[in-house]
Amino acid sequence: MVRPHLPLNALRAFEASARHLSFTRAAIELCVTQAAVSHQVKSLETQLKVTLFKRLPRGLMLTQEGETLLPSLRDAFDRIAGTLEGLEGGHRREVLTVGAVGTFAVGWLLPRLAGFRAENPFIDLRLSTNNNRVDIAAEGLDYAIRFGEGAWHGVDAIPLLEAPLSPLCIPDIAERLKVPADLFKYTLLRSYRADEWPRWFEVAGLRQTMPVSGSIVFDSSLAMMEAALQGAGIALAPPAMFSRLLQSETIRRPFDAAVTIGGYWLTRLQSRTETPAMMRFRDWILGASEQP
């Protein structure tokens, strides 16, 4: 592919400035002067005939054109850095960056990662966790493991695991729960998806509406389960992600009824070409998800 002249110094100056939203902090990172960074960015804007930043009294703000350019540059520089790093030490190492919703990372992925590492010693895995709200492009992720129904704009999604939800609580509370209606005597813990408890009640045969005042909303099932462990209420969470707590009987599942709201999916940007490391991880996690 024949490329036009690429102003690499200017592109580096823009990318660093966009990450920091500051010419001064970008200059410190690049070991040049603030004036040099500002000049390089201005030169790039002149060449592209667009404005990439709005200059504010206390920093910078990306324009729409700047927001369009940044993900491609960040991905390119990350891949170059990963390739250079991988060539050091006599072995070709590959960097794989995966984001995962925290519940899945702690409850399913981490206990199995030793197997992936043993099979792929020259892949450097970088794992970040989130609360299911993730921007794959902005965070420079190769894959994101997220919870939902598999419909996200601009991404390919492969199903990994279903995650039915059931009430989970400490043994002291579980012993007092004889029928599902007894749940209304306690604080009900839930995610930001307000329909989860009502749908579970319907599956359990109850038509009663959950009292709004009797719930606490969490953005993470991990935090929700910690509240349940402290006796703050009853969590509606996927038992499969908390199997160790259930096996130790630290947490109990008082009722068998479960409701499926969504599942866990392996996702990547449709514009992202899969690397060998990505394909190895994809094949491994799909195989592991099929095992009991």
Side-chain angles (χ1 to χ4, degrees), residues 7 11 42-52 65 69:
L11 292 171
K42 186 63 178 176
S43 174
L44 182 62
E45 290 177 319
T46 300
Q47 179 177 336
L48 298 178
K49 297 182 174 58
V50 297
T51 301
L52 299 172
E65 291 79 7
L69 177 60

Side-chain angles (χ1 to χ4, degrees), residues 133-170:
R133 298 181 180 181
V134 59
D135 187 329
I136 299 178
E139 297 180 30
L141 300 175
D142 294 312
Y143 284 122
I145 300 169
R146 60 218 312 194
F147 180 87
E149 298 178 351
W152 293 280
H153 178 69
V155 305
D156 283 335
I158 304 173
L160 291 176
L161 293 170
E162 290 189 350
L165 308 179
S166 286
L168 302 175
C169 59
I170 58 175

Side-chain angles (χ1 to χ4, degrees), residues 9-272:
N9 288 336
L11 292 171
R12 285 189 67 206
F14 164 74
E15 192 271 341
S17 300
R19 276 190 285 108
H20 295 292
L21 291 179
S22 166
F23 289 149
T24 300
R25 289 197 290 272
I28 293 172
E29 177 184 320
L30 299 175
C31 298
V32 297
T33 65
Q34 186 268 354
V37 171
S38 178
H39 175 75
Q40 289 283 4
V41 172
K42 186 63 178 176
S43 174
L44 182 62
E45 290 177 319
T46 300
Q47 179 177 336
L48 298 178
K49 297 182 174 58
V50 297
T51 301
L52 299 172
F53 291 111
K54 293 181 180 178
R55 277 71 167 174
L56 305 175
R58 294 188 178 182
L60 303 170
M61 184 173 72
L62 283 165
T63 63
Q64 185 174 354
E65 291 79 7
E67 290 178 345
T68 299
L69 177 60
L70 178 58
S72 296
L73 279 183
R74 178 177 291 169
D75 180 61
F77 286 140
D78 284 346
R79 292 174 68 182
I80 292 170
T83 300
L84 293 176
E85 183 179 326
L87 292 175
E88 296 177 356
H91 294 285
R92 187 179 185 279
R93 306 190 67 86
E94 291 187 82
V95 175
L96 178 69
T97 305
V98 177
V101 59
T103 306
F104 183 90
V106 174
W108 192 91
L109 184 58
L110 291 181
R112 294 168 172 81
L113 271 185
F116 176 76
R117 296 283 297 141
E119 295 174 15
N120 302 277
F122 298 115
I123 294 178
D124 292 333
L125 178 63
R126 298 177 181 177
L127 179 64
S128 63
T129 60
N130 56 67
N131 65 352
N132 208 46
R133 298 181 180 181
V134 59
D135 187 329
I136 299 178
E139 297 180 30
L141 300 175
D142 294 312
Y143 284 122
I145 300 169
R146 60 218 312 194
F147 180 87
E149 298 178 351
W152 293 280
H153 178 69
V155 305
D156 283 335
I158 304 173
L160 291 176
L161 293 170
E162 290 189 350
L165 308 179
S166 286
L168 302 175
C169 59
I170 58 175
D172 285 350
I173 294 178
E175 291 172 359
R176 303 188 190 107
L177 300 174
K178 306 303 180 185
V179 295
D182 290 340
L183 290 166
F184 290 109
K185 301 174 184 177
Y186 297 91
T187 300
L188 302 180
L189 314 177
R190 68 172 180 85
S191 77
Y192 56 85
R193 292 177 289 269
D195 64 333
E196 290 179 349
W197 271 113
R199 289 177 64 175
W200 185 87
F201 287 133
E202 185 176 352
V203 168
L206 290 177
R207 301 296 179 181
Q208 187 173 352
T209 302
M210 181 181 72
V212 176
S213 60
S215 65
I216 302 176
V217 179
F218 294 84
D219 71 349
S220 163
S221 292
L222 292 178
M224 185 197 310
M225 188 55 61
E226 182 59 33
L229 282 167
Q230 296 183 26
I234 301 168
L236 188 63
M241 297 298 110
F242 298 98
S243 57
R244 285 175 294 173
L245 293 177
L246 289 165
Q247 289 169 4
S248 67
E249 297 191 349
T250 307
I251 284 290
R252 290 187 182 174
R253 178 181 178 178
F255 305 108
D256 291 334
V259 61
T260 299
I261 303 295
Y264 292 103
W265 299 73
L266 181 68
T267 70
R268 69 172 175 86
L269 291 176
Q270 291 173 344
S271 58
R272 177 74 166 100

